[in-house]
Amino acid sequence: MDAVTAGLQLLIALAFLSIPLVRSRYGARAQAAVEAELGRQGVRTTVMAENGMRLDAGGHETWAPVGIASALTFSAVVTLAGLGWSGTLAWIVQSLVVLVNCAILYSKLTAVPSVTAAFAKSGDAELARIDVKSMLAAAEKGFPRWVMPYLQNTRHVVVFAGSLTILLLLATH
């Protein structure tokens, strides 16, 4: 059971690391696509950068997945080392991973209305008039076709199925 738990945790860690890796490789292309879309909408193309919004691997798009992957890796090492508190640690880490992934999925599913609302509340008239649906579609097109939905959905399946398997193993042993 320990090897399965640790193996699944490492697989889930790799799934989280795919986020900054893809953004690092293709984020500039997606950013250029967004800027072209903003230009098409008659919005200054620098408005996103001026408001701290970016599509590369900077900021939370790196530290959050790397932090989660580090916690998963640490838990896997503790599990493989056979330390007595490994089950408790794995239970805590996997529960948090499920919650975080639920938040990621929710933010993806509600991206258009939530970004539209945030732009409207920003006080920046130019942000408020952006057609968010078209802007986000342009961002998606800036990434390779296999990223969304294939890599994204595979990551969610690995995270949810792996975490639930680990939690079931822990609950039954």
Side-chain angles (χ1 to χ4, degrees):
M1 178 185 97
D2 288 352
V4 172
T5 296
L8 286 172
Q9 286 181 312
L10 294 174
L11 181 63
I12 296 165
L14 289 173
F16 272 98
L17 290 176
S18 71
I19 298 167
L21 290 174
V22 167
R23 284 183 171 261
S24 176
R25 174 68 177 92
Y26 302 106
R29 192 167 89 181
Q31 186 69 37
V34 165
E35 289 171 2
E37 173 59 25
L38 293 174
R40 188 194 67 73
Q41 291 183 30
V43 175
R44 67 184 186 280
T45 59
T46 58
V47 73
M48 300 299 282
E50 292 165 10
N51 286 279
M53 293 175 250
R54 47 199 279 191
L55 295 169
D56 63 6
H60 77 281
E61 294 294 347
T62 294
W63 66 255
V66 169
I68 293 165
S70 297
L72 285 158
T73 301
F74 178 74
S75 183
V77 169
V78 168
T79 297
L80 289 174
L83 299 178
W85 46 279
S86 63
T88 302
L89 178 63
W91 188 267
I92 292 167
V93 168
Q94 292 313 136
S95 297
L96 292 173
V97 165
V98 169
L99 291 174
V100 166
N101 210 58
C102 285
I104 291 169
L105 186 56
Y106 178 79
S107 71
K108 173 64 180 156
L109 294 174
T110 62
V112 172
S114 64
V115 172
T116 301
F119 283 3
K121 292 178 186 173
S122 71
D124 184 329
E126 200 146 23
L127 272 181
R129 68 184 183 89
I130 291 174
D131 175 355
V132 173
K133 185 174 183 179
S134 296
M135 181 192 75
L136 293 176
E140 282 192 19
K141 288 178 186 170
F143 289 100
R145 196 176 317 208
W146 52 266
V147 171
M148 295 177 216
Y150 304 116
L151 177 63
Q152 181 177 332
N153 289 342
T154 300
R155 190 184 64 72
H156 286 305
V157 168
V158 166
V159 171
F160 284 128
S163 294
L164 293 176
T165 301
I166 291 166
L167 292 171
L168 284 172
L169 286 171
L170 293 169
T172 58
H173 286 89

